Every structure is written in structure tokens, then in C-alpha cells.
Amino acid sequence: MIASATAINGNQTKPGCELYCGNITVPYPFGMGKECSIDEWANINCSITAFDPPKPFIGDFEVVQFLETEVRIKNLVATSCYNASGLINGSTSSIDLRETPYRFSSTKNKFTVLGCNINGLATSVRQTVNYSSGC
């Protein structure tokens, strides 16, 4: 997923804050720890014990790259597997961007649903207007 956020300040952080999480530069307004980021939505968890090199996360989503106007993350893939008796294994995936400045890109994100007896739904709620799309 590619989400837009406020402008990123190049290769700078707040004084005393780390600039790198593994191989990823984490520029302000993002930061590792509440004292290093502008707000909770920009707080990066640098997973230093689970990965070598460490990986940055926003919530449950791994950050792949910070660009000037974009944050690129890996999204989870939802699955449903069936046999003749019914559902064997399944998972869901959702992203809640409320309370953040992030927005889905209308040109760079892809929403794909594959399979039989499966559906996908994308919804958005803005003030008093609701948007939904699905297949």
C-alpha cells in the first residue's frame, strides 16, 4: 500500500533521536518513540529483536520506504481456503486510516480479489458521505 502523509523532512530527526531502523531512513515527522515523532500516527516501532536487520513498523504494517510525499508499507493478504466440507482456514485484512493524515493513492494502490465464493469490500467514511466498492 502507498499512503500519503505530511511532508517528510529529508534526512532529519528530532535532536537525540535515531535516524535509521535497519536499512530504512526514518525522517521526521516520523520517529521511533513518542518523543521522536510528531504524533501517535507517526510513531515507528523498530523491531530490533525479531529481524536482522531491524524493520520499521507503523502499527502492524511493515514500512518499506519513506518518500517525500509517500509512505510505502506491506499490507497483509487476506485468505480463504475451502475443501468439500467448507471453510478450512481464513484470515481478514483491514486498514483503518481514521485519525491519521494517511490516504490511499488513487493511482498507486491495487485492490484485487481472486477466487470463488469470496468477496472484497473497500469502504470510506468522510463526514456525512459513505463510499463503498466491492466485488
Side-chain angles (χ1 to χ4, degrees):
M1 178 189 92
I2 299 169
S4 297
T6 57
I8 294 174
N9 194 9
N11 290 329
Q12 298 179 6
T13 64
K14 282 182 147 181
C17 295
E18 292 291 323
L19 180 59
Y20 296 98
C21 176
N23 300 326
I24 306 291
T25 302
V26 181
Y28 190 79
F30 299 92
M32 291 167 274
K34 293 178 183 178
E35 64 283 347
C36 292
S37 63
I38 194 168
D39 201 350
E40 188 174 329
W41 58 263
N43 189 26
I44 302 299
N45 176 20
C46 187
S47 183
I48 59 174
T49 58
F51 300 99
D52 186 22
K55 294 181 179 184
F57 288 83
I58 296 176
D60 294 331
F61 302 101
E62 179 186 342
V63 176
V64 177
Q65 186 178 27
F66 290 96
L67 299 171
E68 189 174 335
T69 59
E70 297 174 357
V71 177
R72 293 179 179 229
I73 65 170
K74 287 185 179 179
N75 191 9
L76 305 173
V77 176
T79 61
S80 291
C81 300
Y82 291 86
N83 66 9
S85 304
L87 180 66
I88 297 175
N89 187 5
S91 67
T92 61
S93 177
S94 66
I95 297 175
D96 185 349
L97 299 179
R98 292 175 290 185
E99 310 302 322
T100 76
Y102 303 125
R103 300 295 174 256
F104 285 104
S105 168
S106 62
T107 58
K108 296 184 179 183
N109 283 305
K110 303 285 187 259
F111 182 70
T112 306
V113 178
L114 299 173
C116 301
N117 296 326
I118 191 81
N119 64 45
L121 181 64
T123 62
S124 175
V125 178
R126 290 278 163 235
Q127 296 168 353
T128 60
V129 180
N130 296 333
Y131 299 97
S132 299
S133 180
C135 58

